[in-house]
Amino acid sequence: IYQQTPTFDDIAWIRRHWDGPLVLKGILTADDARRALKEGVDAIVVSNHGGNVLDGSLPTLRALPEIVDAVGGKMDVLMDGGVRRGTDALKAVALGAKAVLLGRAYVYALLAAGEPGEPGVRKMLNVFRQQISEGMQFLGAEKLGDLDPSLLDFPASWPER
């Protein structure tokens, strides 16, 4: 049980004690993204924390486009959650994420085959690289900057971008 849940009010305290880059994780709405920008956060991570707290929470890939639009390129937007293969990373980048976090994939590989740099993590990273490379080839994209939402097809129930 959390004894104290962090709030936007805590950012001022953090800034008094830290003058380096500040990345805020756990953003799922455009309003929170705009608030983070207003509070001087350098980057945000669109994350539902892997759905660990509420398994019915909004999927990060679905929340991403509205959040990217809300910050209008004024801060980096990263995505965490739902990234199980390299093509999931490509989808996130196509929707405006600067990068994706691979926490669960990394942890599973680490648990299966040892310390960082050992076969499990190395293999997981190689699989992701291959899936990203093949996905880019199938999409006809030479570089990540060639990716955009027009390359994706989503259910009709998803909000328009």
Side-chain angles (χ1 to χ4, degrees), residues 10 27 30 33 47 78 80-81 90 107-108 129 143 151 154 160:
D10 295 316
I27 301 298
S47 176
L78 295 80
D80 176 45
L90 291 178
V107 168
Y108 287 170
R129 280 186 196 106
K143 58 188 182 306
L151 298 171
F154 291 104
E160 289 295 317

Side-chain angles (χ1 to χ4, degrees), residues 31 43 127 151:
D31 286 344
V127 167
L151 298 171

Side-chain angles (χ1 to χ4, degrees), residues 11-156:
I11 294 172
W13 179 88
I14 293 168
R15 278 296 187 207
R16 284 195 303 275
H17 299 280
W18 172 254
D19 63 356
L22 182 59
V23 180
L24 187 63
K25 181 181 176 190
I27 301 298
L28 274 177
T29 68
D31 286 344
D32 282 349
R34 284 188 286 271
R35 175 78 187 266
L37 185 62
K38 179 181 165 205
E39 296 292 335
V41 170
D42 298 294
I44 56 175
V45 180
V46 178
S47 176
N48 63 8
H49 306 291
N52 289 331
V53 177
L54 179 62
D55 64 357
S57 62
L58 182 65
T60 54
L61 194 65
R62 189 168 178 179
L64 183 63
E66 184 178 5
I67 291 169
V68 168
D69 286 345
V71 300
K74 295 177 184 162
M75 69 167 46
D76 288 340
V77 178
L78 295 80
M79 193 190 86
D80 176 45
V83 182
R84 305 290 184 264
R85 58 189 64 86
T87 52
D88 294 330
L90 291 178
K91 291 174 193 175
V93 171
L95 292 175
K98 174 127 183 162
V100 297
L101 307 179
L102 302 177
R104 189 169 293 182
Y106 179 87
V107 168
Y108 287 170
L110 185 64
L111 290 170
E115 298 178 20
E118 292 300 317
V121 175
R122 203 170 28 247
K123 181 171 179 146
M124 179 273 301
L125 290 171
N126 287 336
V127 167
F128 266 76
R129 280 186 196 106
Q130 179 155 353
Q131 291 170 342
I132 289 169
S133 176
E134 289 173 355
M136 297 276 293
Q137 290 171 8
F138 283 123
L139 291 170
E142 293 182 20
K143 58 188 182 306
L144 290 176
D146 295 339
L147 301 176
D148 66 54
S150 71
L151 298 171
L152 305 175
D153 185 29
F154 291 104

